Amino acid sequence: MDLNTITEVVRHPGDRPGAHWREGDAWLAGGTWLFSTEQPDLRRLVDLTALRWDPLVRDAAGLEIGATCTVRDLYAFAPPDDWRAGGLLAASCEAFLSSFKVWNSATVGGNICMSLPAGPMITLTVALEAEYELWPPDGPARRVDALDFVTGDHQNVLAPGEILRRVRIPGRALEKHAAHRRFTLTHLGRSTVFLIGTRTPGTDDLLLTVTAGTTRPVRLAFDTMPDARTLQQSIDAIPAHLWFADPNGTPEHRHHLTTYFAEEIRGELTAGV
């Protein structure tokens, strides 16, 4: 779509692009959402791809994902064998409501910053206990737990001019056992619910991440594997106002699916103890 209110595109921003942020600006990375709808309040686009941030960096601490890393690059990444949860990277890419053509442009950071309930990069990074590095317009960078970044449907903690620079996933989370479940109304549809459970090797703990069915991610943590009743009670305790409603499902439907799939995940991870 033509954005007929745009008067300038900043092709080569400085290394700290937020320093020159002004009202009416938008960060441009993949642009797959930006160019899909009218943006009447925008006057200037700031092209982040010119900064050439490394898309993926594997080191002793885990995995670093640059905010401008494309879905295609993440999907193509081959995790090492000792990253038991590494399969979640590709599985989360496959949860996008988009074609492979969009994968060539859509970015990990863009999906996170859109902060939609069904954002699969949010599901992935919260489940793997990631940390986001945010760059304010001025001052030092700050780090935010992925769980705390999204605050509601299309809402997050970013301040005006602040930018998501990178995502850090710790190696200890990638080494966990993992199981996931996802439901859509159609084969390639938007997620109605998307759940991921992880278990630390040699223990019977459980970390269950609930997304898509709620307006923000919900994490249920257990030091020991809960029984079915305890798990259901924990899901029932999720505040009613957090359950999401849209054409893909009612809050009641999403609550039911979450309970059903959470028990499947519990059973799958219990079998591996």
Side-chain angles (χ1 to χ4, degrees), residues 47 96-97 178 203:
D47 186 2
F96 270 93
L97 175 59
T203 76

Side-chain angles (χ1 to χ4, degrees), residues 50-98:
L51 298 175
R52 300 192 180 280
W53 293 333
D54 290 333
L56 295 156
V57 178
R58 176 193 166 197
D59 57 25
L63 180 65
E64 177 185 298
I65 306 174
T68 53
C69 174
T70 65
V71 176
R72 176 198 60 194
D73 286 342
L74 182 62
Y75 188 73
F77 176 76
D81 293 340
D82 60 336
W83 287 3
R84 300 174 185 86
L88 293 175
L89 302 176
S92 297
C93 291
E94 292 168 350
F96 270 93
L97 175 59
S98 62

Side-chain angles (χ1 to χ4, degrees), residues 193-240:
V193 296
F194 191 1
L195 286 74
I196 294 177
T198 62
R199 178 178 65 80
T200 306
T203 76
D204 65 345
D205 65 356
L206 174 65
L207 195 67
L208 181 68
T209 298
V210 177
T211 64
T214 50
T215 55
R216 61 171 175 79
V218 173
R219 177 184 290 165
L220 303 177
F222 304 88
D223 293 332
T224 57
M225 191 66 68
D227 58 24
R229 181 180 180 184
T230 300
L231 181 58
Q232 179 170 347
Q233 288 174 338
S234 297
I235 294 170
D236 291 343
I238 295 174

Side-chain angles (χ1 to χ4, degrees), residues 25-233:
D25 283 359
W27 304 120
L28 174 61
T32 53
W33 174 79
L34 193 62
F35 289 105
S36 71
T37 187
E38 296 180 359
Q39 309 287 351
D41 296 329
L42 298 186
R43 299 294 178 268
R44 192 172 70 152
L45 302 180
V46 183
D47 186 2
L48 298 178
T49 60
L51 298 175
R52 300 192 180 280
W53 293 333
D54 290 333
L56 295 156
V57 178
R58 176 193 166 197
D59 57 25
L63 180 65
E64 177 185 298
I65 306 174
T68 53
C69 174
T70 65
V71 176
R72 176 198 60 194
D73 286 342
L74 182 62
Y75 188 73
F77 176 76
D81 293 340
D82 60 336
W83 287 3
R84 300 174 185 86
L88 293 175
L89 302 176
S92 297
C93 291
E94 292 168 350
F96 270 93
L97 175 59
S98 62
S99 70
F100 71 90
K101 296 178 181 179
V102 174
W103 286 16
N104 291 334
S105 298
T107 63
V108 173
N111 186 251
I112 291 171
C113 292
M114 278 292 295
S115 301
L116 299 176
M121 297 296 97
I122 299 168
T123 309
L124 171 70
T125 54
V126 172
L128 292 180
E129 304 165 64
E131 182 180 72
Y132 299 161
E133 181 178 317
L134 309 181
W135 284 3
D138 50 31
R142 65 178 177 129
R143 296 183 176 181
V144 176
D145 190 310
L147 178 66
D148 301 324
F149 181 80
V150 177
T151 58
D153 179 16
H154 205 41
Q155 299 174 359
N156 58 50
V157 301
L158 285 173
E162 195 167 32
I163 190 171
L164 172 61
R165 169 60 183 87
R166 57 171 61 90
V167 176
R168 296 184 191 295
I169 300 178
R172 58 174 177 77
L174 286 158
E175 292 169 359
K176 289 186 174 185
H177 298 286
H180 69 279
R181 296 292 187 276
R182 176 173 170 260
F183 178 86
T184 63
L185 292 178
T186 60
H187 177 59
L188 296 176
R190 184 185 296 271
S191 298
T192 299
V193 296
F194 191 1
L195 286 74
I196 294 177
T198 62
R199 178 178 65 80
T200 306
T203 76
D204 65 345
D205 65 356
L206 174 65
L207 195 67
L208 181 68
T209 298
V210 177
T211 64
T214 50
T215 55
R216 61 171 175 79
V218 173
R219 177 184 290 165
L220 303 177
F222 304 88
D223 293 332
T224 57
M225 191 66 68
D227 58 24
R229 181 180 180 184
T230 300
L231 181 58
Q232 179 170 347
Q233 288 174 338

